[in-house]
Amino acid sequence: MSYSLGFYRFLDGEPAKPDMDVVRAVLSPCDAAPEKAAEDDTEFWIRAADGSEAEVFVFDSGIGVERPQAGDVWKIIIDLADRLGAGIVIPDGTLLCREDMRGHLPEGLEIDAVFVPEITLEVFERVAGPFSPPLT
């Protein structure tokens, strides 16, 4: 079974482009194919120290995370969302986001949002609940 997540950041009610400097700073150290990396890459295959992997795709309006395996790769994924100030769309449609994004969400989106001071793995597990795959 495949599992995927979407990360989105908003500014004044509009989707904001992900900060590629932050994306590279978080993902480059765990690039599973560094020999293929290029400055303008928007696709990443990452591997954590424990061998768990995920694919990350950066788009103009957000980030897609595909097939994250159980293990430490989840720490990398959640760190990326938090450092970007991005919300995570849980498969049930809930948007998990930091409190500081509340005023930037498009009108009405806050109804399906859970606001937290910081996005951590523990918070993600609690909010995603039954919609979360095994993380560790």
Side-chain angles (χ1 to χ4, degrees):
M1 180 168 106
S2 180
Y3 189 83
S4 62
L5 294 171
F7 294 176
Y8 301 94
R9 190 170 69 85
F10 297 93
L11 194 56
D12 299 325
E14 298 293 326
K17 190 171 184 173
D19 183 335
M20 287 304 295
D21 290 336
V22 173
V23 171
R24 285 187 194 94
V26 174
L27 300 184
S28 292
C30 47
D31 191 342
E35 67 281 357
K36 296 182 181 180
E39 181 70 25
D40 58 348
D41 270 352
T42 59
E43 298 180 11
F44 300 85
W45 172 27
I46 59 171
R47 181 180 298 131
D50 68 353
S52 57
E53 299 177 345
E55 294 177 80
V56 180
F57 303 92
V58 182
F59 306 100
D60 284 343
S61 61
I63 293 178
V65 179
E66 296 289 328
R67 294 180 291 284
Q69 299 174 342
D72 289 343
V73 76
W74 279 95
K75 294 176 185 174
I76 299 164
I77 293 166
I78 299 301
D79 182 49
L80 176 63
D82 190 62
R83 289 182 53 186
L84 285 169
I88 303 173
V89 177
I90 307 296
D92 73 349
T94 300
L95 177 65
L96 170 63
C97 56
R98 295 182 350 186
E99 182 63 44
D100 59 5
M101 192 165 47
R102 183 184 297 266
H104 292 283
L105 294 178
E107 188 174 326
L109 194 55
E110 73 279 354
I111 295 167
D112 294 320
V114 172
F115 297 97
V116 295
E118 177 184 23
I119 295 178
T120 64
L121 190 57
E122 294 77 23
V123 167
F124 175 80
E125 287 178 304
R126 186 179 75 238
V127 173
F131 297 99
S132 174
L135 305 182
T136 54

